[in-house]
Amino acid sequence: MDLSSFITSLTTSFVIFLFLMLVFVWLSRKPGNNVIYYPNRLLKGLDPWDGSRTKNPFSWIQEALSSTEADIISMSGVDTAVYFVFLSSVLGILVLSGLVLLPILLPVAATAHVKPTNGTFSSLDKLSMGNIEVKSPRLWAYVIATYWVSFVTFYILWKAYGHVSDLRATALMSPEVKPEQFAVLVRDIPQVPEGKNRKEQVDSYFKTIHAETFYRSMVVTDNKQANKIWEELEGYRKKCARAEAIFAATKRTGTAEGTRPTNKIGFLGLIGKKVDTIDYCNEKINELFPKLESEQKTTIREKQQAAAIVFFNSRLAAASAAQAVHAQMPDSWTVTEAPEPRQLIWRNFTIKFYERTIRQCIVYVVVALIIFFFMIPIAIISAFTTLDNLRRLLPFLKPVLDIAAVKTVLEAYLPQIALIVFLALLPKFLMMFSKAEGIPSEAHAVRATSGKYFYFIVLNVFIGVTVGGTLFGTLKTIEKTPNKAVHILGKGVPANATFFVTFVALKFFVGYGLELSRLVPLIIFHLKRKFMCKTEAELKEAWAPGDFGYATRVPGDMLIITIALCYSVIAPIIIPFGVAYFGLGWLILRNQALKVYVPSYESYGRMWPHMHARILAALIIFQITMFGFFLLKEFVETVLLIPLPIFTILFSFVCSKKFYRSFSHTPLEVASHELKEIPNMESIFKAFIPACLRSEKFDDGGDQFEDALAQFSRSGSTV
Amino acid sequence: MDLSSFITSLTTSFVIFLFLMLVFVWLSRKPGNNVIYYPNRLLKGLDPWDGSRTKNPFSWIQEALSSTEADIISMSGVDTAVYFVFLSSVLGILVLSGLVLLPILLPVAATAHVKPTNGTFSSLDKLSMGNIEVKSPRLWAYVIATYWVSFVTFYILWKAYGHVSDLRATALMSPEVKPEQFAVLVRDIPQVPEGKNRKEQVDSYFKTIHAETFYRSMVVTDNKQANKIWEELEGYRKKCARAEAIFAATKRTGTAEGTRPTNKIGFLGLIGKKVDTIDYCNEKINELFPKLESEQKTTIREKQQAAAIVFFNSRLAAASAAQAVHAQMPDSWTVTEAPEPRQLIWRNFTIKFYERTIRQCIVYVVVALIIFFFMIPIAIISAFTTLDNLRRLLPFLKPVLDIAAVKTVLEAYLPQIALIVFLALLPKFLMMFSKAEGIPSEAHAVRATSGKYFYFIVLNVFIGVTVGGTLFGTLKTIEKTPNKAVHILGKGVPANATFFVTFVALKFFVGYGLELSRLVPLIIFHLKRKFMCKTEAELKEAWAPGDFGYATRVPGDMLIITIALCYSVIAPIIIPFGVAYFGLGWLILRNQALKVYVPSYESYGRMWPHMHARILAALIIFQITMFGFFLLKEFVETVLLIPLPIFTILFSFVCSKKFYRSFSHTPLEVASHELKEIPNMESIFKAFIPACLRSEKFDDGGDQFEDALAQFSRSGSTV
């Protein structure tokens, strides 16, 4: 890639970004779009504009910059605040690295006297380490730079881990009553003994051990049937509301009586008898309602599973119980902290201990296979990266490719777009696999998905493109002079820097531009509002903002970190782009966190150790890459780099010892803080009742649950 | 080694064993030796003979065989019972393996038609796998045998782990009050806050978290000074008692007034003023006593360290607290289960978190260096194993070596004795290193030592001898026909089988013979009684039986298991010897457990996971060795062996999941069992007071401790 196509790429990206930003400023000022640009504020019952409408069109930037961490926590939760700690830590690492590396390494490389090679060596490459001669004393600067980047990373990550640990502790010790802090999840309950039912078994077990702190238990039930009826019922309710809205609309616009909507009750509403929708739905609702009630009772009584949620009357008791081995055989009665009610994955609770292990093994194998089979298409993509390759391999395209405009655009974008589209395929599958492991909470499943996606991205995109691109491009030369292979690699790998610079630029300009302007959700919303939504509920569903989507967002950021770190010393020109990515990301996502996204769960920063470990993994990849490059430069002092990966591993070890356990468990010190008020245990219990088992009579939701059980217990104990 | 020297070796060993056994039968019937042969019974206040003296001289065998596990636990504790589970498990593995392998593999090998090679191939080797031709279908029998041994091991270890887990749980849930079950060890206490002392800091921290179950705390103090005075005081007391005994003796034998013993008070009692010992000692005691008392107070008040033992008023509370993360920074306030008072290593309590880690790293490096540097002498020993080598390398010895008797004896014993003496050097150092790691209890230090010794033994003795011996012996042949190297190894490695068979036989005949006859302690005791001991206390010290010494005993057994497993299929003739080792061991040690050894600590079977893991390690070595041998036999079906190590790892994983956590922690289910009586918390607290801080006035030992503290607390709190 030469300089002109590089600049074309950057300029185009920047123009797109400017356009998207103007679109945002223009669209976000229309009140009709408030639900797209301010849903989080709306859902919290706040005024979307928070002041006058005459403000500066770029006031959102000022708002984002002036918002504090406390604002973020109150608007979007601790997990979001931790994500910003992540963004600002990486930003800090890159800025501190750049401040030293750019003024030192660029002049060192630019003033090096290297025999000019023909064609393939662009002016950009002159600024990279590839321009330094073998055994040159200038390489010392690069050794020092490698150390600087490593220690900057250690310093900032250390600060950040401590800060996140404080954030987590503060949130966990807050005087607000949070139901999940009073509960533990019990799985792998052994066979019910003769003459007892599951509920009695659980109660008597926990009463014996936690005599004074046990409050009550909720045995997990097989809700499949109840859920089916409940969903059907909800479906008819929605349909009914929709039909009533349509009826009301026709009344307003047409005749005084209006037209009552009708539908066919056969397959997909296409065949069968025509009925009055409102009447039909009401009839169905009246039919299903008692069915649901009786099914709820049956479920609670007869479909108890070998898992339970056990409630304690203090946070301390629950935190303490969640950390202790309960049974003599630790593969039964496994007790863990309960996740939030809203993020429970009920169907995974009853998967048995060894089945979980087996599922995990299978998932790992499948994911590994996916990662390695995708290697092939990526390798092909990276081989086509250069137009020269295209022209050579597909000669019939030559006339088209030689048009200047097509050439520039293709050269600038083709490989990057192919890559990005390609990457969009995977996350759904990975999430599905992660849930299939038997993970009990959404937050954990997201972490597991993010981890898998990280491996995929780093292995395939980063290593695949680097090695693949280089190997393809230089294979012929190596064929002729095999002894020069090492030298060619040493020059060829840094040559990929420009590819990655444009990749990063495309990602942040176009990616964050789209993120800010929310064009896609906006269009979808307006289409839905126009053609589909009839009721308020449907409308609300249409603009529901969703959450941050950490499962893909974090690995995406991780890829940029890996690229930025790995090329930071080889081609320091990448650092400003990395800074721009994370700076722009911080700014735009700050806006989105304050105004748009609504987190779908809260894990009190448990994502952090995951991020921390992966930043360190990126650092190790960087350190090993550097070691390889220095070897190629035949630089004897390369041995000085050997301690670096060891330092990184030690650092990771110390961090995990110092901080990790308070992320995997709630420390008693934290759980022992006083509450604002005496907790209402009944409402804590009710918070965990799954939707399909909730009674319709709102007041006695828990009572109904309890009644059914009490009745059952009584009948059970008399047996 | 040819057949005749092999038989000589066995016969000599057996004769020595018979002799030692007769010595035991003869000596153990003399009442004067009761303290050597029945110390455990004597210390427990039982009649050593437990019945009439006219019994059969071999009644000990019958007694050992008829003793139950409960007898062992009551006489010697759970740890000893677990050691017998270990012995009988290994015995079971070998017996079950032998029952199938011997009748199948021996005929298969013996009837194989191999071209006879000259000289080096003895008649014993005909029974081994080395006698099978390459690619022979007979190798199928060996594949099946490998699977059989592996699955027998899995089956027996599975049963044993469950059994040991039950033993441990039963002991932990016993209604007896055990002080360590009410306490936890707290280390890494942070800096004392302003205006508080250490004791107040610890008390307030635990009172906040465990408001209802906290009983009181004992801050660990720097006892160096107090201990020094106490030891001096005890020294003078012993000296005084001794002098009085001597004085009484002279009174009886000599003049009515007797001769008062005297001594010089200068360097080593050799120079200086002559004084009357009794008067001098009493004077010193009177002088030191108030010094000790004041030092005790100073220590308790002013030398408090950053560690404490915290007491709870129930076992459940202590077990629960020991498992929970307490502080938000998990590297401070680390809480673990308290070891028994008698096995505390006080000086290690105050070593800080990261210092422990660093110490551990250093110790591992040092031990690794030791293991690898000892490789050299072992390689030399194994090279000298054959007389041929000796004659060739040290030709001046030729005339001596050619005498038939010398030749036979040397050939039979030289290498084995060298090896055994050599192995006796290390354990003390390893124990010292393990304690230097910062381990808080004796039991744990013993496990750590055993682990290190295991690596040493397996790496050096087993692998060193096997590879070393083979390589030296065949180096010249390989030099001439390098392509045959693989074949030579395939035949040469099984040739070491005879060496190991004689090694095992020597170990069990002579080792267990000495163990049973207790000749060394007997001689030392009689010498001491005759020439040194004057008082009852000194006499008791002279016959103190000591404990089992698991730190070296277990790795020793492990070496035999490794050898027996590895050669079980290659040369099944080793199995009966393995059976004899563990059978004889079981029998003789049963006797020793019931009558001789007094365990110095009780860890409730925590040694088992350690043993289990190492038996599995031996199994993996066996499986990999087999894979290597089959490869040498050019047997394609060797691939069938690849799943075996994977099965072993899976088995180990499942076992650790199923059982391990209840060994590393006390399950709450177990801790929640009722006690026989309401525990006397005061006496539990007193049990942990170190000897040098105990008050001389026996009744108020704890009170004095408390008084000093209370006084201090009061004065501290008024600051």
Side-chain angles (χ1 to χ4, degrees), chain B residues 207-229:
Chain B
K207 259 180 207 156
T208 317
I209 296 178
H210 304 281
E212 278 150 41
T213 52
F214 173 78
Y215 169 64
R216 85 197 248 195
S217 70
M218 178 192 287
V219 175
V220 172
T221 48
D222 176 9
N223 301 338
K224 212 186 261 169
Q225 197 58 34
N227 208 30
K228 208 178 135 195
I229 299 172

PDB file of all heavy atoms in Angstrom, chain B residues 207-229:
ATOM      1  N   LYS B 207     -14.853  -8.770  65.561  1.00  0.00           N
ATOM      2  CA  LYS B 207     -16.143  -8.532  66.212  1.00  0.00           C
ATOM      3  C   LYS B 207     -17.134  -7.948  65.228  1.00  0.00           C
ATOM      4  O   LYS B 207     -18.320  -8.262  65.264  1.00  0.00           O
ATOM      5  CB  LYS B 207     -15.966  -7.585  67.404  1.00  0.00           C
ATOM      6  CG  LYS B 207     -15.941  -8.314  68.738  1.00  0.00           C
ATOM      7  CD  LYS B 207     -15.759  -7.319  69.872  1.00  0.00           C
ATOM      8  CE  LYS B 207     -15.098  -7.989  71.045  1.00  0.00           C
ATOM      9  NZ  LYS B 207     -14.406  -7.013  71.906  1.00  0.00           N
ATOM     10  N   THR B 208     -16.658  -7.072  64.343  1.00  0.00           N
ATOM     11  CA  THR B 208     -17.564  -6.470  63.368  1.00  0.00           C
ATOM     12  C   THR B 208     -18.122  -7.543  62.442  1.00  0.00           C
ATOM     13  O   THR B 208     -19.316  -7.578  62.157  1.00  0.00           O
ATOM     14  CB  THR B 208     -16.800  -5.446  62.488  1.00  0.00           C
ATOM     15  OG1 THR B 208     -15.955  -4.693  63.329  1.00  0.00           O
ATOM     16  CG2 THR B 208     -17.748  -4.572  61.723  1.00  0.00           C
ATOM     17  N   ILE B 209     -17.237  -8.424  61.978  1.00  0.00           N
ATOM     18  CA  ILE B 209     -17.675  -9.385  60.963  1.00  0.00           C
ATOM     19  C   ILE B 209     -18.387 -10.572  61.604  1.00  0.00           C
ATOM     20  O   ILE B 209     -19.438 -11.002  61.135  1.00  0.00           O
ATOM     21  CB  ILE B 209     -16.463  -9.838  60.117  1.00  0.00           C
ATOM     22  CG1 ILE B 209     -15.912  -8.633  59.354  1.00  0.00           C
ATOM     23  CG2 ILE B 209     -16.856 -10.952  59.167  1.00  0.00           C
ATOM     24  CD1 ILE B 209     -14.702  -8.920  58.537  1.00  0.00           C
ATOM     25  N   HIS B 210     -17.814 -11.098  62.669  1.00  0.00           N
ATOM     26  CA  HIS B 210     -18.407 -12.288  63.297  1.00  0.00           C
ATOM     27  C   HIS B 210     -18.957 -11.916  64.667  1.00  0.00           C
ATOM     28  O   HIS B 210     -18.517 -12.438  65.687  1.00  0.00           O
ATOM     29  CB  HIS B 210     -17.358 -13.385  63.432  1.00  0.00           C
ATOM     30  CG  HIS B 210     -16.723 -13.748  62.136  1.00  0.00           C
ATOM     31  ND1 HIS B 210     -17.322 -14.570  61.212  1.00  0.00           N
ATOM     32  CD2 HIS B 210     -15.551 -13.380  61.574  1.00  0.00           C
ATOM     33  CE1 HIS B 210     -16.533 -14.699  60.158  1.00  0.00           C
ATOM     34  NE2 HIS B 210     -15.450 -13.987  60.359  1.00  0.00           N
ATOM     35  N   ALA B 211     -19.910 -11.021  64.664  1.00  0.00           N
ATOM     36  CA  ALA B 211     -20.383 -10.441  65.919  1.00  0.00           C
ATOM     37  C   ALA B 211     -20.792 -11.509  66.923  1.00  0.00           C
ATOM     38  O   ALA B 211     -20.439 -11.428  68.102  1.00  0.00           O
ATOM     39  CB  ALA B 211     -21.561  -9.513  65.627  1.00  0.00           C
ATOM     40  N   GLU B 212     -21.499 -12.542  66.449  1.00  0.00           N
ATOM     41  CA  GLU B 212     -22.075 -13.476  67.413  1.00  0.00           C
ATOM     42  C   GLU B 212     -21.201 -14.683  67.708  1.00  0.00           C
ATOM     43  O   GLU B 212     -21.426 -15.388  68.685  1.00  0.00           O
ATOM     44  CB  GLU B 212     -23.447 -13.958  66.907  1.00  0.00           C
ATOM     45  CG  GLU B 212     -24.532 -12.952  67.229  1.00  0.00           C
ATOM     46  CD  GLU B 212     -25.633 -12.970  66.208  1.00  0.00           C
ATOM     47  OE1 GLU B 212     -26.016 -14.068  65.769  1.00  0.00           O
ATOM     48  OE2 GLU B 212     -26.094 -11.873  65.834  1.00  0.00           O
ATOM     49  N   THR B 213     -20.236 -14.962  66.845  1.00  0.00           N
ATOM     50  CA  THR B 213     -19.481 -16.195  67.038  1.00  0.00           C
ATOM     51  C   THR B 213     -18.043 -15.964  67.496  1.00  0.00           C
ATOM     52  O   THR B 213     -17.390 -16.895  67.924  1.00  0.00           O
ATOM     53  CB  THR B 213     -19.455 -17.003  65.729  1.00  0.00           C
ATOM     54  OG1 THR B 213     -19.014 -16.139  64.683  1.00  0.00           O
ATOM     55  CG2 THR B 213     -20.824 -17.530  65.391  1.00  0.00           C
ATOM     56  N   PHE B 214     -17.579 -14.728  67.424  1.00  0.00           N
ATOM     57  CA  PHE B 214     -16.207 -14.436  67.836  1.00  0.00           C
ATOM     58  C   PHE B 214     -16.056 -14.653  69.334  1.00  0.00           C
ATOM     59  O   PHE B 214     -16.860 -14.162  70.121  1.00  0.00           O
ATOM     60  CB  PHE B 214     -15.872 -12.990  67.463  1.00  0.00           C
ATOM     61  CG  PHE B 214     -14.546 -12.509  67.980  1.00  0.00           C
ATOM     62  CD1 PHE B 214     -13.369 -12.873  67.355  1.00  0.00           C
ATOM     63  CD2 PHE B 214     -14.478 -11.684  69.092  1.00  0.00           C
ATOM     64  CE1 PHE B 214     -12.158 -12.425  67.827  1.00  0.00           C
ATOM     65  CE2 PHE B 214     -13.273 -11.234  69.575  1.00  0.00           C
ATOM     66  CZ  PHE B 214     -12.108 -11.602  68.948  1.00  0.00           C
ATOM     67  N   TYR B 215     -15.016 -15.408  69.747  1.00  0.00           N
ATOM     68  CA  TYR B 215     -14.808 -15.585  71.178  1.00  0.00           C
ATOM     69  C   TYR B 215     -13.697 -14.663  71.669  1.00  0.00           C
ATOM     70  O   TYR B 215     -13.933 -13.760  72.460  1.00  0.00           O
ATOM     71  CB  TYR B 215     -14.494 -17.048  71.489  1.00  0.00           C
ATOM     72  CG  TYR B 215     -14.006 -17.262  72.893  1.00  0.00           C
ATOM     73  CD1 TYR B 215     -14.837 -17.003  73.984  1.00  0.00           C
ATOM     74  CD2 TYR B 215     -12.710 -17.707  73.136  1.00  0.00           C
ATOM     75  CE1 TYR B 215     -14.390 -17.174  75.279  1.00  0.00           C
ATOM     76  CE2 TYR B 215     -12.251 -17.881  74.426  1.00  0.00           C
ATOM     77  CZ  TYR B 215     -13.090 -17.616  75.493  1.00  0.00           C
ATOM     78  OH  TYR B 215     -12.638 -17.771  76.763  1.00  0.00           O
ATOM     79  N   ARG B 216     -12.507 -14.860  71.209  1.00  0.00           N
ATOM     80  CA  ARG B 216     -11.426 -13.941  71.548  1.00  0.00           C
ATOM     81  C   ARG B 216     -10.231 -14.230  70.646  1.00  0.00           C
ATOM     82  O   ARG B 216     -10.252 -15.188  69.875  1.00  0.00           O
ATOM     83  CB  ARG B 216     -11.076 -14.030  73.020  1.00  0.00           C
ATOM     84  CG  ARG B 216     -10.103 -15.095  73.427  1.00  0.00           C
ATOM     85  CD  ARG B 216     -10.197 -15.293  74.915  1.00  0.00           C
ATOM     86  NE  ARG B 216      -9.005 -14.852  75.607  1.00  0.00           N
ATOM     87  CZ  ARG B 216      -8.739 -15.197  76.880  1.00  0.00           C
ATOM     88  NH1 ARG B 216      -9.585 -15.928  77.568  1.00  0.00           N
ATOM     89  NH2 ARG B 216      -7.639 -14.780  77.460  1.00  0.00           N
ATOM     90  N   SER B 217      -9.220 -13.411  70.739  1.00  0.00           N
ATOM     91  CA  SER B 217      -8.086 -13.582  69.841  1.00  0.00           C
ATOM     92  C   SER B 217      -6.791 -13.690  70.630  1.00  0.00           C
ATOM     93  O   SER B 217      -6.712 -13.244  71.770  1.00  0.00           O
ATOM     94  CB  SER B 217      -8.000 -12.404  68.876  1.00  0.00           C
ATOM     95  OG  SER B 217      -7.599 -11.261  69.587  1.00  0.00           O
ATOM     96  N   MET B 218      -5.813 -14.324  70.017  1.00  0.00           N
ATOM     97  CA  MET B 218      -4.486 -14.372  70.617  1.00  0.00           C
ATOM     98  C   MET B 218      -3.518 -13.828  69.570  1.00  0.00           C
ATOM     99  O   MET B 218      -3.297 -14.455  68.534  1.00  0.00           O
ATOM    100  CB  MET B 218      -4.131 -15.820  70.966  1.00  0.00           C
ATOM    101  CG  MET B 218      -2.740 -15.978  71.558  1.00  0.00           C
ATOM    102  SD  MET B 218      -2.269 -17.717  71.622  1.00  0.00           S
ATOM    103  CE  MET B 218      -3.312 -18.277  72.949  1.00  0.00           C
ATOM    104  N   VAL B 219      -2.990 -12.662  69.844  1.00  0.00           N
ATOM    105  CA  VAL B 219      -2.054 -12.070  68.883  1.00  0.00           C
ATOM    106  C   VAL B 219      -0.717 -12.809  69.001  1.00  0.00           C
ATOM    107  O   VAL B 219      -0.253 -13.084  70.104  1.00  0.00           O
ATOM    108  CB  VAL B 219      -1.892 -10.563  69.158  1.00  0.00           C
ATOM    109  CG1 VAL B 219      -0.823  -9.976  68.251  1.00  0.00           C
ATOM    110  CG2 VAL B 219      -3.201  -9.847  68.958  1.00  0.00           C
ATOM    111  N   VAL B 220      -0.165 -13.151  67.854  1.00  0.00           N
ATOM    112  CA  VAL B 220       1.125 -13.843  67.866  1.00  0.00           C
ATOM    113  C   VAL B 220       2.206 -12.848  68.283  1.00  0.00           C
ATOM    114  O   VAL B 220       2.210 -11.703  67.832  1.00  0.00           O
ATOM    115  CB  VAL B 220       1.426 -14.405  66.462  1.00  0.00           C
ATOM    116  CG1 VAL B 220       2.826 -14.948  66.391  1.00  0.00           C
ATOM    117  CG2 VAL B 220       0.412 -15.476  66.116  1.00  0.00           C
ATOM    118  N   THR B 221       3.062 -13.282  69.178  1.00  0.00           N
ATOM    119  CA  THR B 221       4.104 -12.384  69.679  1.00  0.00           C
ATOM    120  C   THR B 221       5.483 -12.887  69.257  1.00  0.00           C
ATOM    121  O   THR B 221       5.645 -14.052  68.886  1.00  0.00           O
ATOM    122  CB  THR B 221       4.053 -12.314  71.212  1.00  0.00           C
ATOM    123  OG1 THR B 221       3.968 -13.657  71.726  1.00  0.00           O
ATOM    124  CG2 THR B 221       2.849 -11.531  71.677  1.00  0.00           C
ATOM    125  N   ASP B 222       6.435 -11.987  69.319  1.00  0.00           N
ATOM    126  CA  ASP B 222       7.819 -12.365  69.034  1.00  0.00           C
ATOM    127  C   ASP B 222       8.411 -12.964  70.305  1.00  0.00           C
ATOM    128  O   ASP B 222       8.799 -12.248  71.220  1.00  0.00           O
ATOM    129  CB  ASP B 222       8.592 -11.117  68.603  1.00  0.00           C
ATOM    130  CG  ASP B 222      10.060 -11.432  68.386  1.00  0.00           C
ATOM    131  OD1 ASP B 222      10.420 -12.627  68.400  1.00  0.00           O
ATOM    132  OD2 ASP B 222      10.842 -10.489  68.197  1.00  0.00           O
ATOM    133  N   ASN B 223       8.468 -14.286  70.370  1.00  0.00           N
ATOM    134  CA  ASN B 223       8.824 -14.967  71.619  1.00  0.00           C
ATOM    135  C   ASN B 223      10.311 -15.273  71.752  1.00  0.00           C
ATOM    136  O   ASN B 223      10.697 -16.041  72.613  1.00  0.00           O
ATOM    137  CB  ASN B 223       8.065 -16.292  71.719  1.00  0.00           C
ATOM    138  CG  ASN B 223       6.580 -16.084  71.678  1.00  0.00           C
ATOM    139  OD1 ASN B 223       6.101 -14.999  71.972  1.00  0.00           O
ATOM    140  ND2 ASN B 223       5.847 -17.117  71.313  1.00  0.00           N
ATOM    141  N   LYS B 224      11.110 -14.740  70.862  1.00  0.00           N
ATOM    142  CA  LYS B 224      12.507 -15.147  70.832  1.00  0.00           C
ATOM    143  C   LYS B 224      13.160 -14.983  72.210  1.00  0.00           C
ATOM    144  O   LYS B 224      13.750 -15.917  72.756  1.00  0.00           O
ATOM    145  CB  LYS B 224      13.260 -14.297  69.792  1.00  0.00           C
ATOM    146  CG  LYS B 224      14.388 -15.049  69.125  1.00  0.00           C
ATOM    147  CD  LYS B 224      15.183 -14.131  68.237  1.00  0.00           C
ATOM    148  CE  LYS B 224      14.782 -14.251  66.780  1.00  0.00           C
ATOM    149  NZ  LYS B 224      15.368 -13.174  65.972  1.00  0.00           N
ATOM    150  N   GLN B 225      12.994 -13.780  72.788  1.00  0.00           N
ATOM    151  CA  GLN B 225      13.632 -13.472  74.060  1.00  0.00           C
ATOM    152  C   GLN B 225      13.068 -14.368  75.173  1.00  0.00           C
ATOM    153  O   GLN B 225      13.823 -15.008  75.920  1.00  0.00           O
ATOM    154  CB  GLN B 225      13.399 -11.988  74.374  1.00  0.00           C
ATOM    155  CG  GLN B 225      14.320 -11.426  75.434  1.00  0.00           C
ATOM    156  CD  GLN B 225      15.788 -11.580  75.050  1.00  0.00           C
ATOM    157  OE1 GLN B 225      16.130 -11.503  73.883  1.00  0.00           O
ATOM    158  NE2 GLN B 225      16.634 -11.833  76.034  1.00  0.00           N
ATOM    159  N   ALA B 226      11.733 -14.431  75.234  1.00  0.00           N
ATOM    160  CA  ALA B 226      11.086 -15.224  76.277  1.00  0.00           C
ATOM    161  C   ALA B 226      11.481 -16.689  76.151  1.00  0.00           C
ATOM    162  O   ALA B 226      11.753 -17.377  77.144  1.00  0.00           O
ATOM    163  CB  ALA B 226       9.569 -15.077  76.176  1.00  0.00           C
ATOM    164  N   ASN B 227      11.551 -17.133  74.921  1.00  0.00           N
ATOM    165  CA  ASN B 227      11.893 -18.524  74.676  1.00  0.00           C
ATOM    166  C   ASN B 227      13.315 -18.829  75.139  1.00  0.00           C
ATOM    167  O   ASN B 227      13.591 -19.877  75.713  1.00  0.00           O
ATOM    168  CB  ASN B 227      11.757 -18.806  73.181  1.00  0.00           C
ATOM    169  CG  ASN B 227      11.432 -20.242  72.903  1.00  0.00           C
ATOM    170  OD1 ASN B 227      10.782 -20.897  73.730  1.00  0.00           O
ATOM    171  ND2 ASN B 227      11.888 -20.741  71.791  1.00  0.00           N
ATOM    172  N   LYS B 228      14.195 -17.868  74.908  1.00  0.00           N
ATOM    173  CA  LYS B 228      15.589 -18.039  75.300  1.00  0.00           C
ATOM    174  C   LYS B 228      15.682 -18.210  76.820  1.00  0.00           C
ATOM    175  O   LYS B 228      16.312 -19.149  77.327  1.00  0.00           O
ATOM    176  CB  LYS B 228      16.397 -16.812  74.849  1.00  0.00           C
ATOM    177  CG  LYS B 228      17.855 -17.095  74.568  1.00  0.00           C
ATOM    178  CD  LYS B 228      18.536 -15.827  74.086  1.00  0.00           C
ATOM    179  CE  LYS B 228      19.862 -15.643  74.774  1.00  0.00           C
ATOM    180  NZ  LYS B 228      20.370 -14.267  74.600  1.00  0.00           N
ATOM    181  N   ILE B 229      15.023 -17.327  77.539  1.00  0.00           N
ATOM    182  CA  ILE B 229      15.046 -17.398  79.001  1.00  0.00           C
ATOM    183  C   ILE B 229      14.416 -18.707  79.466  1.00  0.00           C
ATOM    184  O   ILE B 229      14.930 -19.395  80.336  1.00  0.00           O
ATOM    185  CB  ILE B 229      14.306 -16.195  79.609  1.00  0.00           C
ATOM    186  CG1 ILE B 229      14.988 -14.900  79.181  1.00  0.00           C
ATOM    187  CG2 ILE B 229      14.271 -16.306  81.126  1.00  0.00           C
ATOM    188  CD1 ILE B 229      14.225 -13.663  79.580  1.00  0.00           C
TER     189      ILE B 229
END
